Amino acid sequence: MPTCFPAHGLIGLLRPALLGTACAALAACDDAAPVAQLPGLTLMSAQDVDPASMPGGEVALRRVHYRDRHGEGVLVLERSDSLADDAGRGGTLDTAILTARLYIRPGPSTAWTKQWQRQIRQPCAGPVLEARWLLQHVSATDLDGDGQAEITLASRTFCGGENDPHQLHVSLIDGTTRYGIAGETRLDAAGGVHAAGQRHPSPSLATAPPVFVEYLDTVWTTLLNSAALHAREAH
């Protein structure tokens, strides 16, 4: 079984009993990794499941399959493209759509049902359109140790020219509650990256458990640094 080590910065914020979730939190182990037994949560290996029996089909970019106190869950990530009406100028806009769906079932003999769906739509009239799930940050964790999985979603979208902002989103979804941070990065005239209106926490984050807040802060900082590097390389 491969050993997965938490990335720098996560070791300090996760309680020792939850250090095993860092592999899931950073997707350091790919879908072919063996089953990982974590406190209150079991991450399932793609090798142990018939793909035809899983939601998502061939269009899925990635699945995260787990078992918690409610039964089984599968997070399915997709990206698609479409055209949207351009009300301001007439005509149409290229649009990238990022979709995340969570399916659950109480046990192997029952049918999958969709628990929720989240979408990020990026219409674009600019020269460059980019939209991607940041798969290394997508996860199932049990940070608060209550036996119920939390789902982390992270994405970056971009529309425009080289000095236009990159939009960042990170969410932690715990049951029916979503905690999140959104914002952007922008290049300055010298090609350095600075933040421009970069942090917009969801109202729910004000009352979130401290371990959720610390975790999202850490992931957000990682996303911001990665987006800065990406923007510098593209500049």
Side-chain angles (χ1 to χ4, degrees):
M1 176 181 296
T3 301
C4 301
F5 297 97
H8 178 71
L10 276 181
I11 295 177
L13 76 91
L14 295 178
R15 301 194 302 273
L18 298 178
L19 282 178
T21 64
C23 177
L26 298 179
C29 297
D30 62 23
D31 290 341
V35 170
Q37 190 73 44
L38 308 174
L41 183 71
T42 301
L43 298 178
M44 309 297 291
S45 168
Q47 295 174 326
D48 299 328
V49 181
D50 178 6
S53 68
M54 300 286 283
E58 295 182 356
V59 299
L61 297 173
R62 185 168 186 259
R63 295 185 186 89
V64 178
H65 184 197
Y66 65 87
R67 184 162 50 236
D68 66 5
R69 62 183 170 88
H70 300 297
E72 288 183 83
V74 175
L75 174 68
V76 179
L77 300 180
E78 299 172 358
R79 182 194 186 279
S80 59
D81 297 280
S82 68
L83 295 176
D85 292 334
D86 186 351
R89 301 184 306 173
T92 57
L93 294 171
D94 292 330
T95 303
I97 305 169
L98 300 177
T99 303
R101 299 184 181 92
L102 181 68
Y103 297 86
I104 61 171
R105 64 180 180 180
S109 62
T110 56
W112 292 103
T113 59
K114 187 167 71 174
Q115 179 81 346
W116 50 253
Q117 174 177 301
R118 300 287 187 274
Q119 282 192 329
I120 297 173
R121 304 176 70 90
Q122 178 62 71
C124 189
V128 178
L129 169 62
E130 178 185 340
R132 64 179 62 187
W133 290 114
L134 302 176
L135 299 180
Q136 69 271 35
H137 300 291
V138 172
S139 68
T141 56
D142 185 19
L143 297 171
D144 58 359
D146 67 351
Q148 173 174 276
E150 310 104 20
I151 301 298
T152 302
L153 301 176
S155 65
R156 181 176 69 232
T157 59
F158 175 75
C159 172
E162 62 181 15
N163 290 324
D164 289 313
H166 291 242
Q167 305 296 325
L168 305 174
H169 300 84
V170 58
S171 298
L172 185 70
I173 303 169
D174 183 36
T176 60
T177 305
R178 174 193 166 276
Y179 309 96
I181 304 173
E184 62 184 27
T185 61
R186 187 188 297 271
L187 288 174
D188 60 25
V193 176
H194 65 87
Q198 82 281 16
R199 256 187 90 96
H200 303 291
S202 64
S204 58
L205 201 58
T207 57
V211 68
F212 290 0
V213 176
E214 293 179 48
Y215 172 75
L216 282 172
D217 281 346
T218 299
V219 176
W220 172 257
T221 299
T222 302
L223 295 187
L224 199 61
N225 292 339
S226 296
L229 178 61
H230 177 82
R232 277 195 297 269
E233 290 175 344
H235 185 65

